[in-house]
């Protein structure tokens, strides 16, 4: 197998792995919502209630739970698109980025959301992946990723700006805002370091 064929095969495997991961992730969200419905919404309490220390344990579970199938549906398409594009850069890197976004977003919600509110849903991760994709190319200095980020910004930018507006009283704009900030931070935390130069090259 020549180098070009190997590269094409590797690329196809990356696409397959990224698509499979995101399809499985979204399927899990739908299964959990079905379980919640069948159990009389027994999973709803695992959302985040702010400034109660015991609620910090729900920071991660809350990112996988929703309040109704309409809620899940609204997050499914952007989560698949953003997650798929991010995972093409490497599954392990994507999982690390997602974990950082979920944790930072959840802590932000816990700190500043209105008292007695209950916040759950994957939208914080969606906004985080959006922020990550928009700035990743500039941080890594990769023209292709810059183009992807600019395209995503042009298509979804207005929706994101609306989602972080405090005038949105029926959604957690706090979760959206902290997710966006966490995604931008993740692009810097997990930026690709350039290969060290100056290493000797030996040929047989």
């Amino acid at each position: 197998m020549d180098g070009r064929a190997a590269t094409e095969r590797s690329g196809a495997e990356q696409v397959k792995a990224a698509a499979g991961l995101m399809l499985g992730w979204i399927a899990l969200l739908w299964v959990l919502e079905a379980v919640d419905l069948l159990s009389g919404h027994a999973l709803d309490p695992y959302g985040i209630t702010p400034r109660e220390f015991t609620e910090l344990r729900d920071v991660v579970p809350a990112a996988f739970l929703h309040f109704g199938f309409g809620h899940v549906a609204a997050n499914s398409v952007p989560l698949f698109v953003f997650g798929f594009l991010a995972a093409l850069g490497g599954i392990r890197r994507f999982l690390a980025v997602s974990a950082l976004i979920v944790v930072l977003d959840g802590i932000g919600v816990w700190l500043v959301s209105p008292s007695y509110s209950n916040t759950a849903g994957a939208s914080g991760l969606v906004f985080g992946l959006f922020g990550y994709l928009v700035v990743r190319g500039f941080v890594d200095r990769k023209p292709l990723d810059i183009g992807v980020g600019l395209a995503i910004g042009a298509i979804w930018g207005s929706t994101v700006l609306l989602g972080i507006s405090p005038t949105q009283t029926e959604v957690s704009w706090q979760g959206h805002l902290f997710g966006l900030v966490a995604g931008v931070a993740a692009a810097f935390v997990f930026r690709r370091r350039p290969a060290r130069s100056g290493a000797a090259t030996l040929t047989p």
Side-chain angles (χ1 to χ4, degrees), residues 22-34 64:
M22 294 316 302
L23 287 173
W25 193 310
I26 291 170
L28 175 62
L29 301 185
W30 283 86
V31 168
L32 288 173
E33 186 54 34
F64 294 85

Side-chain angles (χ1 to χ4, degrees), residues 28-196:
L28 175 62
L29 301 185
W30 283 86
V31 168
L32 288 173
E33 186 54 34
V35 170
D36 184 51
L37 178 64
L38 294 173
S39 64
H41 302 289
L43 300 182
D44 286 355
Y46 291 94
I48 302 170
T49 300
R51 294 173 294 283
E52 293 185 13
F53 284 102
T54 56
E55 290 292 308
L56 286 173
R57 65 191 176 190
D58 294 333
V59 161
V60 173
F64 294 85
L65 304 176
H66 294 80
F67 301 127
F69 287 108
H71 191 193
V72 184
N75 285 329
S76 292
V77 172
L79 179 59
F80 177 82
V81 173
F82 298 161
F84 172 74
L85 292 173
L88 286 177
I91 299 297
R92 293 204 308 180
R93 186 187 189 193
F94 165 74
L95 292 175
V97 166
S98 297
L100 182 63
I101 291 171
V102 166
V103 171
L104 292 183
D105 178 56
I107 292 175
V109 167
W110 183 84
L111 285 171
V112 306
S113 286
S115 299
Y116 309 110
S117 61
N118 185 20
T119 303
S123 57
L125 177 59
V126 168
F127 276 68
L129 290 174
F130 171 88
Y132 170 75
L133 289 170
V134 167
V135 305
R136 177 186 62 177
F138 296 97
V139 174
D140 291 344
R141 298 181 181 180
K142 296 183 65 176
L144 178 60
D145 288 343
I146 290 174
V148 170
L150 291 175
I152 289 174
I155 295 171
W156 274 283
S158 59
T159 301
V160 169
L161 289 176
L162 182 63
I164 63 176
S165 170
T167 60
Q168 300 296 302
T169 57
E170 296 182 359
V171 299
S172 175
W173 64 266
Q174 297 92 343
H176 296 170
L177 177 61
F178 278 101
L180 181 64
V181 172
V184 172
F188 287 91
V189 172
F190 297 107
R191 65 186 181 275
R192 295 193 184 280
R193 270 69 175 182
R196 292 183 178 180

